[in-house]
Amino acid sequence: MVKKELTNRKLFDEFYSNKLSDGKEVDLQGRVRTNRNNGSIGFIEFNDGTFFKNIQLVYENNEYSKIRYGSTIEVKGNIKLTPNNKQPFEITVKEINLLNDCAEDYPLQKKRHSFEFLREIAHLRSRANTFYAVFRVRNVLTYAIHKYFQERNFVYVHTPLITSNDAEGAGQVFKVVADMKKPDDFFKANASLTVSGQLHVEAFALTYRDVYTFGPAFRAEQSNTTRHASEFWMIEPEMAFCDLEDNMNVIESFLKYIIKYVLDNAKEEMNFFDTMIEKGVIKKLEHVIHSEFKRMTYTEAIEILKKAKENGHHFEFNDIHWGMDLQSEHERYLTEEVIKGPLFLIDYPKEIKAFYMKQNADGKTVAACDLLVPYVGELIGGSQREEKYDVLLYKMQEIGNDKGLEWYLDLRKYGGCIHSGFGLGFDRLLMYITGISNIRDVQPYPRTPGSLKF
Ligand code: 4AD
Ligand code: MG
């Protein structure tokens, strides 16, 4: 047996609960983050992967000064409480066993690397502080999401990744083809990777009332931006007997809950982002938790943008008119300059939104709600769904999306009801929480046009 029970995390937990005793014997396995030596005494910054903070190992045996940065070691020694130092305790080394040396050409050197360079070594970058913090927060955020829904009795549904429908009707799918076979041969249908689990999860909402799916989505968008990835994770709750306003209330409560959970449960990582990545990010998030999300109709937004233009604000896309699809610069202006916080935009023109959205009484708009946040833009897209069979059928026929989705129409025929839901872009939320400005740096192995190294 190799695995040891003790970890950095357990030592820090003991320390914070005042249970760590001076002199305690320890036996740990982990990696050397730095190793320096002043002749008579040496210091290793040690991390075993279980906690953000390193532990300092202090040794006298000069042999250990040869242990290279990046190597894995086993260390035996004793805890020394150091209340007057930067680190609250250290380990006085009795013995270090080198488990595996780290070759000299280790690409992750001690100096600061650019994020671009680190993307080229995605298999190693999780060892660099920023990514070490990002991917742990990714995990904490995932847990918070499940916790929120499970505590409220939502049923988690695994929706398929291979599908025959383009849920959004936007024609941005990746085709799935079995090797050596002609397209269509394998499934006897047009198969693609899912762009959204919404249609599948709607069916389950009509059984279990409150449900969610949380998994990967794939989009063949040619947009090479800092906010688009070809593969990303999405949370899609769907709620029966729930209208647009209820939907927004859930979004607001959900976001506040999961942000608070991360602030409370990833303190070291969040402090790191606050000092190294986005100054004030914690304050920004605390403000979100304590403020009421503003709501505004698309029509009002257009009026504000027109005024901004009249007053001399320059937009790249400067032809502001009702019916236009908002560009990210418009969304950012509204949330960053006008509201200075999260903003729901509701009631969009039906022409620029997906076919399944509920038609409003005005005949021109649909009951959509996008949540916009500063610097990220659109974080959530949601809507009340069209529950009227005839209206939905008409809209599907209009865009030629009715074949193969008869089952989706059935949901309106066999005891349907008012229902709503939304899709939260998980990676974009992680960008917002960490202050990291490129989606490629919050995903373990990002997939974007022209990039599939790992
Ligand atoms: O607005 P979207 O396209 O909505 C849907 O897919 C609906 N079916 C959701 C629903 O009502 N159940 O996508 C939802 C969110 C966006 O707001 C954005 O945050 C994220 O998914 N998203 C992307 N994130 C990263 N890369 C991309 N290419 C993304 N496309 C959408
Ligand atoms: Mg959207």
Side-chain angles (χ1 to χ4, degrees):
M1 210 167 80
V2 174
K3 194 174 169 58
K4 307 273 187 231
E5 283 306 311
L6 194 61
T7 61
N8 281 26
R9 171 86 206 204
K10 285 184 185 165
L11 287 175
F12 273 99
D13 280 348
E14 278 185 31
F15 174 79
Y16 289 129
S17 52
N18 289 320
K19 289 191 190 122
L20 187 64
S21 51
D22 200 47
K24 177 188 169 93
E25 283 207 13
V26 299
D27 183 355
L28 295 161
Q29 302 150 316
R31 188 178 308 283
V32 174
R33 288 294 195 93
T34 63
N35 186 1
R36 64 201 164 81
N37 178 286
N38 67 12
S40 59
I41 192 164
F43 305 92
I44 288 175
E45 287 290 325
F46 172 86
N47 200 302
D48 72 352
T50 60
F51 194 63
F52 186 68
K53 285 186 179 161
N54 298 326
I55 294 179
Q56 177 164 275
L57 314 180
V58 184
Y59 61 83
E60 287 178 358
N61 185 341
N62 210 29
E63 276 296 296
Y64 300 151
S65 63
K66 292 183 206 139
I67 298 176
R68 265 202 291 252
Y69 161 76
S71 321
T72 45
I73 58 172
E74 179 182 359
V75 57
K76 292 184 175 146
N78 298 86
I79 294 292
K80 183 173 171 195
L81 297 177
T82 52
N84 299 323
N85 293 357
K86 205 174 87 199
Q87 67 279 1
F89 61 90
E90 57 187 33
I91 290 172
T92 310
V93 170
K94 274 204 288 232
E95 185 188 335
I96 296 179
N97 294 315
L98 182 65
L99 300 177
N100 206 314
D101 191 15
C102 180
E104 205 137 2
D105 62 353
Y106 190 36
L108 200 67
Q109 288 303 316
K110 263 176 279 182
K111 62 175 186 146
R112 243 190 126 98
H113 294 289
S114 71
F115 284 0
E116 287 78 10
F117 169 77
L118 289 166
R119 270 174 225 147
E120 297 298 312
I121 50 166
H123 58 310
L124 298 172
R125 72 173 173 169
S126 56
R127 301 176 188 184
N129 272 341
T130 302
F131 295 92
Y132 191 46
V134 165
F135 297 129
R136 193 186 310 281
V137 170
R138 202 176 160 100
N139 169 65
V140 172
L141 185 60
T142 302
Y143 181 71
I145 287 163
H146 283 296
K147 190 164 151 64
Y148 178 88
F149 289 123
Q150 293 297 325
E151 281 172 358
R152 286 158 185 77
N153 261 313
F154 280 63
V155 171
Y156 178 35
V157 182
H158 294 145
T159 48
L161 299 189
I162 300 177
T163 176
S164 58
N165 71 64
D166 171 3
E168 295 302 300
Q172 295 173 323
V173 299
F174 287 103
K175 282 198 178 306
V176 174
V177 183
D179 204 11
M180 311 301 285
K181 292 227 161 65
K182 284 199 231 81
D184 305 354
D185 267 9
F186 192 89
F187 290 109
K188 309 290 177 218
N190 250 325
S192 60
L193 293 177
T194 186
V195 295
S196 155
Q198 178 195 323
L199 306 191
H200 294 110
V201 93
E202 271 185 57
F204 277 67
L206 290 165
T207 303
Y208 297 100
R209 183 182 175 114
D210 294 329
V211 298
Y212 67 111
T213 180
F214 180 12
F218 308 87
R219 294 195 187 177
E221 288 163 296
Q222 273 302 340
S223 29
N224 227 320
T225 77
T226 53
R227 293 164 297 106
H228 288 86
S230 311
E231 179 176 326
F232 61 97
W233 280 62
M234 186 156 55
I235 300 104
E236 294 186 279
E238 192 70 30
M239 296 160 285
F241 313 105
C242 169
D243 68 10
L244 189 72
E245 203 190 329
D246 301 318
N247 199 27
M248 288 190 282
N249 291 339
V250 171
I251 292 175
E252 188 166 336
S253 124
F254 169 57
L255 263 187
K256 288 177 175 175
Y257 177 98
I258 57 182
I259 289 175
K260 182 170 186 326
Y261 189 88
V262 170
L263 288 176
D264 290 346
N265 290 279
K267 287 206 170 78
E268 288 71 23
E269 288 82 358
M270 290 310 301
N271 282 333
F272 172 84
F273 295 129
D274 203 58
T275 41
M276 303 301 290
I277 304 291
E278 181 186 336
K279 297 232 160 23
V281 68
I282 293 179
K283 218 167 138 212
K284 170 187 89 178
L285 296 173
E286 276 167 353
H287 176 72
V288 168
I289 293 173
H290 295 114
S291 61
E292 205 176 301
F293 293 9
K294 295 284 186 310
R295 301 174 184 192
M296 184 189 284
T297 64
Y298 168 91
T299 305
E300 285 165 339
I302 291 292
E303 288 311 309
I304 290 175
L305 292 169
K306 274 187 182 161
K307 283 234 174 64
K309 182 183 158 183
E310 276 165 28
N311 292 336
H313 188 91
H314 178 75
F315 295 109
E316 283 303 308
F317 186 95
N318 220 12
D319 177 20
I320 313 284
H321 61 275
W322 199 94
M324 69 186 258
D325 211 349
L326 296 181
Q327 306 295 312
S328 135
E329 56 173 333
H330 306 126
E331 297 178 339
R332 291 187 57 171
Y333 178 81
L334 293 166
T335 170
E336 284 164 31
E337 309 286 331
V338 183
I339 302 296
K340 300 181 169 49
L343 166 67
F344 281 115
L345 273 194
I346 63 170
D347 299 339
Y348 282 72
K350 62 175 194 250
E351 287 78 13
I352 58 170
K353 285 292 183 192
F355 69 93
Y356 50 70
M357 295 189 183
K358 167 85 183 161
Q359 183 138 342
N360 285 329
D362 61 14
K364 293 191 302 194
T365 61
V366 286
C369 60
D370 277 7
L371 183 75
L372 314 179
V373 298
Y375 308 108
V376 171
E378 183 194 326
L379 182 63
I380 290 178
S383 64
Q384 186 174 324
R385 319 307 189 187
E386 184 55 74
E387 84 277 9
K388 292 199 182 111
Y389 185 93
D390 296 338
V391 179
L392 184 62
L393 176 64
Y394 179 78
K395 287 183 80 173
M396 287 167 72
Q397 283 169 341
E398 231 180 6
I399 58 166
N401 201 7
D402 52 327
K403 295 280 165 301
L405 279 181
E406 293 79 7
W407 64 269
Y408 184 67
L409 278 160
D410 276 354
L411 302 173
R412 278 69 181 167
K413 192 168 145 195
Y414 302 129
C417 70
I418 288 179
H419 62 287
S420 303
F422 62 91
L424 165 66
F426 179 80
D427 311 273
R428 288 195 189 169
L429 176 60
L430 192 56
M431 290 169 68
Y432 185 63
I433 288 179
T434 58
I436 298 276
S437 56
N438 196 316
I439 197 164
R440 292 162 182 79
D441 299 324
V442 296
Q443 298 191 318
Y445 298 99
R447 272 82 179 88
T448 50
S451 169
L452 192 63
K453 178 170 168 187
F454 295 91

